Amino acid sequence: MPSDTARGGDALALDALATETYSAVFADVCDAIGKRFQTLEPGARHIAGPEGVLIGLARTAISMPVNEIPERPYEGEIDFVDSLSKGDLVVLDCSRAPAAAWGELFSTASVGRGARGALIDGLVRDIAKINELDRFPIFARGARPTDALGRVAIREWDVPVCVFGLTVFTGDLVVCDNDGVTVVPKECIPEVVPRALEKARIESEARELLLGGGYLREVWEKYRVL
């Protein structure tokens, strides 16, 4: 990934990262550079879309509780989704109300804008339809059919959001898989990405040595990975 990667991330570079790396190697590299608190608390699970590693650049938003249907329904959601671009990964805080803040049509529109997926501290719906898209992975707390209209609404975006116990900023690199989620601060991306690729390569070599009958101590002494 180029060192100047920010908004409008290189899709091919992100695809390569998703193929070659995963959340644990990014967590280890963040640890190594002194960023030891870059993983989310448990609770974010893959809930819709294709399986595998989801990597993208955070676009943050907050969905807040409301008590009535607004004069212009879904205005914030429309403006936010229409602002997405290639390489974006939606990071949405909807932790303050038990309604589904995201669904099929938001996902479909996001795919059309080039977004890669979503991480939602809250609930989603339309799981079957999102799965039919087969192009938009979503990690969230769970699902519920209750509509957002008159219950929650996106009011702010591209602001710091706290999701699953960690503050995320627009432009951070977000890595989601079945282990959980690691967030790389945007200023650390140029240093962390090549180191994560190298660590993933070393771990593959170590794995081959172990499968060939090598001893765990031998692997540790040679590669310093476990």
Side-chain angles (χ1 to χ4, degrees), residues 23 44-46 51-53 139 176-181:
S23 65
R45 62 185 180 90
H46 176 265
E51 297 273 1
V53 180
F139 287 72
C176 312
D177 57 28
N178 287 335
D179 284 342
V181 182

Side-chain angles (χ1 to χ4, degrees), residues 159-213:
V159 295
V161 299
C162 184
V163 291
F164 301 95
L166 183 68
T167 300
V168 181
F169 298 82
T170 286
D172 290 350
L173 186 70
V174 181
V175 186
C176 312
D177 57 28
N178 287 335
D179 284 342
V181 182
T182 301
V183 177
V184 180
K186 56 187 174 183
E187 67 273 12
C188 299
I189 292 173
E191 179 180 6
V192 169
V193 166
R195 291 180 64 164
L197 288 165
E198 176 65 8
K199 182 173 175 59
R201 184 192 64 78
I202 290 172
E203 290 194 353
S204 292
E205 291 185 9
R207 191 179 307 115
E208 291 301 316
L209 182 57
L210 290 169
L211 287 173

Side-chain angles (χ1 to χ4, degrees), residues 121-145:
D121 193 346
L123 308 175
V124 301
R125 69 177 195 170
D126 306 325
I127 300 299
K129 293 296 184 182
I130 296 170
N131 285 336
E132 287 178 12
L133 277 174
D134 198 32
R135 293 172 61 187
F136 197 77
I138 296 178
F139 287 72
R141 287 196 182 273
R144 191 174 188 178

Side-chain angles (χ1 to χ4, degrees), residues 70-135:
E71 183 178 344
R72 299 179 64 183
Y74 303 114
E75 181 178 14
E77 286 80 359
I78 291 168
D79 287 346
F80 173 66
V81 172
D82 282 351
S83 77
L84 297 175
S85 61
K86 290 181 180 179
D88 285 347
L89 192 158
V90 173
V91 178
L92 178 62
D93 174 16
C94 187
S95 59
R96 287 169 264 187
W102 198 268
E104 171 207 359
L105 295 182
F106 292 171
S107 299
T108 304
S110 298
V111 169
R113 301 297 305 156
R116 300 182 64 82
L119 169 65
I120 298 174
D121 193 346
L123 308 175
V124 301
R125 69 177 195 170
D126 306 325
I127 300 299
K129 293 296 184 182
I130 296 170
N131 285 336
E132 287 178 12
L133 277 174
D134 198 32
R135 293 172 61 187

Side-chain angles (χ1 to χ4, degrees), residues 1-89:
M1 178 178 291
S3 61
D4 61 351
T5 296
R7 290 293 314 283
D10 185 323
L12 292 177
L14 292 169
D15 286 343
L17 277 183
T19 299
E20 300 173 29
T21 64
Y22 39 94
S23 65
V25 294
F26 278 97
D28 290 351
V29 173
C30 285
D31 280 351
I33 67 169
K35 298 288 186 179
R36 295 182 56 82
F37 303 98
Q38 294 306 130
T39 61
L40 271 59
E41 296 172 352
R45 62 185 180 90
H46 176 265
I47 199 165
E51 297 273 1
V53 180
L54 167 62
I55 298 182
L57 297 166
R59 284 296 307 284
T60 63
I62 301 175
S63 189
M64 301 177 180
V66 296
N67 296 317
E68 58 185 22
I69 297 175
E71 183 178 344
R72 299 179 64 183
Y74 303 114
E75 181 178 14
E77 286 80 359
I78 291 168
D79 287 346
F80 173 66
V81 172
D82 282 351
S83 77
L84 297 175
S85 61
K86 290 181 180 179
D88 285 347
L89 192 158

